[in-house]
Amino acid sequence: MLRPRPSLIAPVLAWILASVACSLAFAQAPTGGVDSEDLLDPAATAGSSLPDAPEVDAQAEAARAYADGDLLRAITIYRELGATHAIAAERVRFRVTAAWLLFEQGDRSAAGLELRQILFETPDLKVDSNLYSGEFLALFQDAQVEAAEARLRAAGLKLQAGVAAFKSADHELARRLVEESLALQPEQPRALYTIAAIDLAEGRTDEALSGFERILALERGAAQPLSPELKAQTLNNVGVIYIGRNQDADAAEALEKAVRLVPRDARSWFNLGLARLALGRRIDALDALRRAHELDRRDAEISLRLARVYQDAGSWVESVALLLEATNAHPEGAALWLELGRSQRGLGNQEGTTASLRKAIELDADGTKGVAAPAALFLAEAALAKKQFAAAANDAEFATRLTPQDATAWAILGLARQGEGNLAAAATSLERAAALAPSRADIAHNLGTVFLGQRRLAEAEASFRRALAIDPAASESAAALARLQAARSSDGKDSKASPAPARPASRPRVAAAKPRELGASVAPVDYQPLGIRGLLVSEVTARGMAARAGLLPDDLILRANGQPLTQVPTLLAMVRNPAAKSLQLSLLRAGKPVELVLQLD
């Protein structure tokens, strides 16, 4: 049997005997060549400074086995003590002793494995170099390197599993795995980022912001800077949190840094566009949103937001083109179809508007996406303008079923019922609208007109007065109230008097005039697939009405006085209407919206 080298027998025996006799001292400060920070476990040592009798006996037995040269028996006992001792520091010390005895026995491989396992669990462990041979210390150093590499690999695997769990929305598992990864390798930027991202996904924005800021702070003291991608992602999330807190200037600053680091990140450009919109920087916002769309043309959210910016700017052609592409890529996107309908209405394409809005309703039949109700209201308003009261009532009633707290839906339904002649139903709908929106003068006025039609004159007067109290400039309500009061005064009655309807002013007869000429050659066009229909100007007569208004060849006239134009006779009839003094023309010039006033001679 291999015996320990003589030069080490005395100190080792002394250490073993001391360990048996002075357990209290060991509990307070580990000896035997081991020195490690935070090895003592307060919970394990509380109330148990002295080891139990079996542990004392085991240490004595190990000492005897060692003295007798029975290293295998000593190793076995020290391993058992390393697994069962109540004090964490003592467990480590006994395991190191077992490793050293394995090394002394000539089993270098087993000794190295033991040390790697110890150092994997206790990476800050140190040994007293005076008590061990140079060969054992070299083995210890190799084990340190291998254990560190093993911790790094284990940390990476746990982080990878945690990220996968996060993507699967299993936040509890993800947090546990990532925290275990951080325990193995503290201050990992990617792990810290994942924890912060989990906090953000769970709505814990304060914790998330602290986590992201901690990552950015790491770079200042780190030997290696953060990767541009990770730093940009961190800044992007910081920007998102700031946007949610209405700290728009801070958000824009963070997001501008993000896009400088990674210029091809579509989401950072998108969020930057939102921050700039909130700051009122519409041109810069449009530039950012366009860049986001160029980088990711299939992102429905980016397309939707950019289309709304185009709508706000009156850029209907750009909005329609963008949304046609988006609905082709995402035919199930109800919100995209709604915005396409709005944009087509801006171009005067009534057929396209109706088809797109009907598609939006079809995709959101139960109203859970918040799309069907506004789409139905658009259709109801359009039908109401055309005096298609039954169609308007159907769409408005559908909207009230989906959004019963929407005052506008009830108001449109009331107007549609009034147009149908069902004044009782109209009054009921408008009364519901007035209860939901008591500060809207238009609803109060329309309710007054319905009461007037029902000869409920006192209620009509009260409604008109309420409209004037809300909006003193409500001229229609003031005129209706004046007519009602005048009728009462002239008739001498209170509630049963019917005010005389207003009569148009008489006009003197004039001789028939020569029909007006537009002074331009126009032809109907229908551009597919944009859904743009109108009248294309091919020639403009010098010094004619069209020329004086500023009309140019290649202009595309979309609407006159808000009415869509698809046929030449419609425009000519409006020009030749003797009662008309001017026409408001809405047109496209080189793809840009232009408004002109055509003065009718």
Side-chain angles (χ1 to χ4, degrees):
M1 178 180 295
L2 182 66
R3 298 185 62 84
R5 106 182 33 166
S7 61
L8 292 175
I9 291 177
V12 170
L13 280 174
W15 173 79
I16 292 172
L17 294 173
S19 68
V20 176
C22 304
S23 298
L24 180 59
F26 290 146
Q28 294 172 342
T31 60
V34 178
D35 180 18
S36 177
E37 297 175 2
D38 299 326
L39 287 181
L40 290 178
D41 183 350
T45 60
S48 60
S49 297
L50 287 172
D52 294 336
E55 292 176 344
V56 174
D57 293 342
Q59 293 179 54
E61 184 178 352
R64 286 193 297 270
Y66 181 84
D68 293 339
D70 189 354
L71 297 187
L72 288 178
R73 178 62 179 158
I75 290 168
T76 300
I77 296 172
Y78 283 127
R79 278 179 163 173
E80 290 175 355
L81 288 168
T84 62
H85 200 282
I87 302 175
E90 292 293 86
R91 291 197 298 271
V92 173
R93 186 163 62 83
F94 287 126
R95 292 177 67 187
V96 173
T97 301
W100 178 75
L101 293 177
L102 285 167
F103 179 77
E104 285 296 299
Q105 192 185 31
D107 195 345
R108 182 184 182 92
S109 176
L113 177 59
E114 189 78 26
L115 288 173
R116 285 195 297 274
Q117 291 173 346
I118 297 168
L119 290 165
F120 184 90
E121 300 168 9
T122 316
D124 57 351
L125 179 66
K126 298 181 179 66
V127 295
D128 188 345
S129 60
N130 294 320
L131 296 179
Y132 301 103
S133 66
E135 294 86 351
F136 182 78
L137 293 174
L139 182 65
F140 184 87
Q141 291 172 353
D142 292 341
Q144 277 183 317
V145 174
E146 293 169 3
E149 292 173 350
R151 287 174 67 89
L152 184 61
R153 288 192 298 271
L157 290 173
K158 285 187 178 291
L159 175 58
Q160 185 178 2
V163 171
F166 177 55
K167 290 180 179 178
S168 300
D170 190 343
H171 294 170
E172 182 179 355
L173 176 60
R175 187 183 295 276
R176 178 172 61 79
L177 289 169
V178 177
E179 287 176 348
E180 289 175 0
S181 177
L182 282 168
L184 291 167
Q185 187 189 3
E187 301 297 302
Q188 297 176 70
R190 177 59 66 179
L192 293 173
Y193 174 88
T194 305
I195 290 291
I198 294 171
D199 285 333
L200 183 58
E202 293 178 343
R204 296 153 51 91
T205 54
D206 289 342
E207 293 84 350
L209 183 58
S210 296
F212 291 129
E213 289 176 340
R214 179 181 175 187
I215 296 166
L216 297 173
L218 285 178
E219 190 174 42
R220 291 192 286 271
Q224 292 292 333
L226 298 176
S227 70
E229 291 76 17
L230 180 59
K231 188 173 182 179
Q233 290 172 355
T234 302
L235 287 166
N236 177 59
N237 283 314
V238 168
V240 169
I241 293 172
Y242 282 146
I243 289 174
R245 296 180 173 187
N246 297 320
Q247 296 175 236
D248 302 310
D250 294 330
E253 181 181 356
L255 291 161
E256 283 164 359
K257 291 178 182 177
V259 297
R260 284 197 296 270
L261 285 166
V262 183
R264 299 194 62 78
D265 183 8
R267 297 307 298 182
S268 293
W269 280 109
F270 172 72
N271 291 326
L272 177 58
L274 297 184
R276 287 174 171 176
L277 278 175
L279 290 169
R281 296 164 53 185
R282 303 195 67 81
I283 295 176
D284 292 337
L286 181 59
D287 176 65
L289 292 171
R290 279 174 173 162
R291 291 193 183 212
H293 178 64
E294 290 167 3
L295 291 167
D296 189 354
R297 303 185 75 88
R298 293 187 60 81
D299 189 307
E301 186 180 11
I302 294 174
S303 297
L304 194 64
R305 198 66 187 84
L306 178 56
R308 287 172 179 165
V309 174
Y310 281 141
Q311 290 171 353
D312 292 342
S315 301
W316 303 112
V317 173
E318 290 88 343
S319 181
V320 168
L322 174 66
L323 289 166
L324 282 172
E325 178 186 30
T327 52
N328 184 58
H330 304 280
E332 75 293 345
L336 293 170
W337 285 104
L338 172 62
E339 297 305 326
L340 177 57
R342 285 175 170 169
S343 298
Q344 288 170 320
R345 186 178 69 168
L347 280 178
N349 180 0
Q350 295 300 323
E351 292 179 8
T353 298
T354 301
S356 296
L357 294 176
R358 291 292 178 204
K359 182 68 174 179
I361 293 172
E362 175 189 333
L363 292 169
D364 185 29
D366 58 0
T368 56
K369 299 176 182 176
V371 170
L377 282 182
F378 278 122
L379 290 170
E381 288 176 343
L384 198 62
K386 296 176 184 177
K387 301 187 183 303
Q388 298 172 352
F389 300 117
N394 286 337
D395 286 318
E397 189 172 20
F398 175 70
T400 61
R401 289 199 301 270
L402 294 178
T403 54
Q405 301 304 310
D406 186 350
T408 299
W410 287 104
I412 294 175
L413 178 58
L415 293 175
R417 295 302 189 201
Q418 183 182 18
E420 289 181 309
N422 188 348
L423 296 183
T428 300
S429 296
L430 286 166
E431 284 175 326
R432 178 71 179 272
L436 291 169
S439 61
R440 282 184 55 175
D442 61 319
I443 293 176
H445 173 82
N446 291 330
L447 181 57
T449 63
V450 172
F451 285 150
L452 197 59
Q454 293 179 298
R455 298 176 61 81
R456 297 163 61 179
L457 302 185
E459 292 167 286
E461 180 178 352
S463 291
F464 291 137
R465 289 189 183 280
R466 185 162 59 252
L468 284 169
I470 297 169
D471 180 12
S475 57
E476 292 183 355
S477 298
L481 183 61
R483 288 194 298 271
L484 183 58
Q485 292 173 331
R488 280 182 173 175
S489 299
S490 62
D491 196 69
K493 298 180 181 179
D494 184 24
S495 61
K496 295 185 179 180
S498 297
R503 299 177 180 275
S506 58
R507 296 180 181 274
R509 295 181 177 273
V510 294
K514 180 181 178 182
R516 294 168 176 160
E517 296 297 333
L518 175 63
S521 298
V522 296
V525 293
D526 185 353
Y527 292 114
Q528 294 293 336
L530 292 181
I532 303 175
R533 303 176 66 188
L535 302 179
L536 182 65
V537 179
S538 59
E539 184 179 353
V540 177
T541 304
R543 294 182 295 279
M545 281 195 300
R548 291 196 298 273
L551 207 62
L552 299 176
D554 295 326
D555 283 349
L556 178 61
I557 305 174
L558 302 176
R559 295 179 297 280
N561 288 348
Q563 177 181 338
L565 293 176
T566 58
Q567 299 296 327
V568 175
T570 303
L571 175 60
L572 295 181
M574 298 176 77
V575 170
R576 293 167 181 171
N577 180 4
K581 297 298 183 181
S582 64
L583 284 179
Q584 181 78 25
L585 299 181
S586 302
L587 52 97
L588 289 177
R589 176 175 294 167
K592 302 296 182 182
V594 175
E595 298 288 331
L596 296 178
V597 177
L598 182 69
Q599 299 294 341
L600 303 177
D601 299 332

